[in-house]
């Protein structure tokens, strides 16, 4: 009798775990789809994902798992540092807005400490869905581009760009495309190497995404992609693993931008604008509407604000006011629309929490490279691309950027950690 009861309970637990796994997988897919829907859908699906992963009697065990994983608590520090700065932030309204945006940096790591244990097939489906969603987004973008190619091409000479998904957040979308290229590459190499039809299909999609990335010509995505390619090439050459492929990959890394310059007008015009803007940003001269010149000036502003209060910073809520005051004193002619945040997450955390914030952010970016996974090369490629994007971008100050970084890194961590070749 006891034996039968044990078997019954075991079967019931297995059935419950299977259903839960399917629900978590469903919410994971819905979160990715929500990137292309109104922002409210992303909040709703993220909440559902977290509840499905954490809501059971094992919560204490999940909390211990969270505390014992440097990747999880390290990512959550990117939320708790701004949260702590509320103790000395005077603009509580702005501080609360920033905390609301960064909340997924705590919620998602905690959720991934929970019952997120998908099967190998489900990870594969999730990756394929991600690639297909991004591809659909690029096709939508190109469709709008084709409606008025000449005007859009000319706009690239004035720091403009084509329409993109994510509510026209072209910087975050460009990085999403770069991540989709890495994902499709891993699918071809690892999951589909014995499925020729699937491998060829995903390979063609990857080629299209690379072409689109150059057509969009946004540097965050392009530099992230090329950095990942250089890491892969060096890995193959230095470890003497098919070094011929490494040399070929390095050659393509230098050849692709040359080909793009001669055959893709948006890319060519972007390069021309960068060369025009170079004289201003090299000397940090203000150019109204100038992309690079304003970025360099904003970096100077961030450094100055950080060093004014090196031990604790201004508090995240007061970073905008402190930076604007610096602009007023040093660049009184600057237009209001050009007064932007410091164009680097390193400096955002430095300005908001001083040198300790700058150091903690650096540690958080390094932790993934010390995290043990089964497949180091793709994992390092993804995290190098992510860390680099934050060097000259403030992706953690917008909802899409926070979710994309947190979810994709944590998803890859589970994928690379649990899946066997």
């Amino acid at each position: 009798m006891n034996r039968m009861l044990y078997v019954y309970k075991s079967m019931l637990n297995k059935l419950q775990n299977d259903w839960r796994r399917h629900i978590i997988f469903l919410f994971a897919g819905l979160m990715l789809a929500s990137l292309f829907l109104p922002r409210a859908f992303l909040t709703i699906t993220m909440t559902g994902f977290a509840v499905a992963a954490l809501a059971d009697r094992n919560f204490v065990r999940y909390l211990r798992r969270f505390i014992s994983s440097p990747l999880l608590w390290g990512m959550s520090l990117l939320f708790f540092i701004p949260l702590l700065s509320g103790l000395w932030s005077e603009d509580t309204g702005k501080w609360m807005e920033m905390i609301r945006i960064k909340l997924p940096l705590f919620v998602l790591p905690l959720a991934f400490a929970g019952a997120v244990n998908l099967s190998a097939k489900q990870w594969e489906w999730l990756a394929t869905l991600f690639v297909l969603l991004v591809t659909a987004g690029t096709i939508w973008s190109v469709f709008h581009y084709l409606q008025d190619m000449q005007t859009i091409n000319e706009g690239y000479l004035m720091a403009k760009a084509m329409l993109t998904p994510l509510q026209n957040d072209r910087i975050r979308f460009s990085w999403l495309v770069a991540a989709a290229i890495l994902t499709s590459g891993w699918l071809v190499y690892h999951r589909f190497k014995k499925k020729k039809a699937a491998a060829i299909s995903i390979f063609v999609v990857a080629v299209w995404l690379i072409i689109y990335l150059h057509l969009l010509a946004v540097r965050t995505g392009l530099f992230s992609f090329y950095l990942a390619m250089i890491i892969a090439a060096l890995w193959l050459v230095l470890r003497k693993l098919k070094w011929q492929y490494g040399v070929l990959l390095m050659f393509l890394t230098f050849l692709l931008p040359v080909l793009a310059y001669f055959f893709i007008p948006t890319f060519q015009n972007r390069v021309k604008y960068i060369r025009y803007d170079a004289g201003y940003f090299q000397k940090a001269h203000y150019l109204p509407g100038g992309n690079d010149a304003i970025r360099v000036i904003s970096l100077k502003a961030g450094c100055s604000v950080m060093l004014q209060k090196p031990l604790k910073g201004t508090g995240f809520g007061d970073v905008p006011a402190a930076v604007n005051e610096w602009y007023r004193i040093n660049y009184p002619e600057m237009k209001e629309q050009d007064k932007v945040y410091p164009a680097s997450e390193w400096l955002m955390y430095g300005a908001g929490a001083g040198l300790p914030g700058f150091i903690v952010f650096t540690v958080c970016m390094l932790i993934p490279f010390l995290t043990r996974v089964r497949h180091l090369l793709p994992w390092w490629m993804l995290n190098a691309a992510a860390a680099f994007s934050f060097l000259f971008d403030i992706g953690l100050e917008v909802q899409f950027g926070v979710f994309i970084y947190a979810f994709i890194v944590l998803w890859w961590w589970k994928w690379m950690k649990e899946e066997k070749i």
Side-chain angles (χ1 to χ4, degrees), residues 258-284:
V258 175
L259 294 175
Y261 182 83
F262 287 105
F263 293 103
I264 300 179
T266 52
F267 186 88
Q268 183 182 98
N269 287 350
R270 176 68 77 198
V271 173
K272 289 179 179 178
Y273 178 80
I274 291 172
R275 290 169 61 185
Y276 163 73
D277 200 15
Y280 288 89
F281 78 76
Q282 286 174 357
K283 299 178 181 179

Side-chain angles (χ1 to χ4, degrees), residues 278-296:
Y280 288 89
F281 78 76
Q282 286 174 357
K283 299 178 181 179
H285 289 171
Y286 172 57
L287 173 65
N291 195 339
D292 293 326
I294 291 173
R295 280 175 174 269
V296 171

Side-chain angles (χ1 to χ4, degrees), residues 35-47:
L35 287 170
F36 304 91
L37 299 172
R39 293 175 186 267
F41 286 92
L42 184 56
T43 302
I44 293 169
T45 54
M46 198 184 314
T47 302

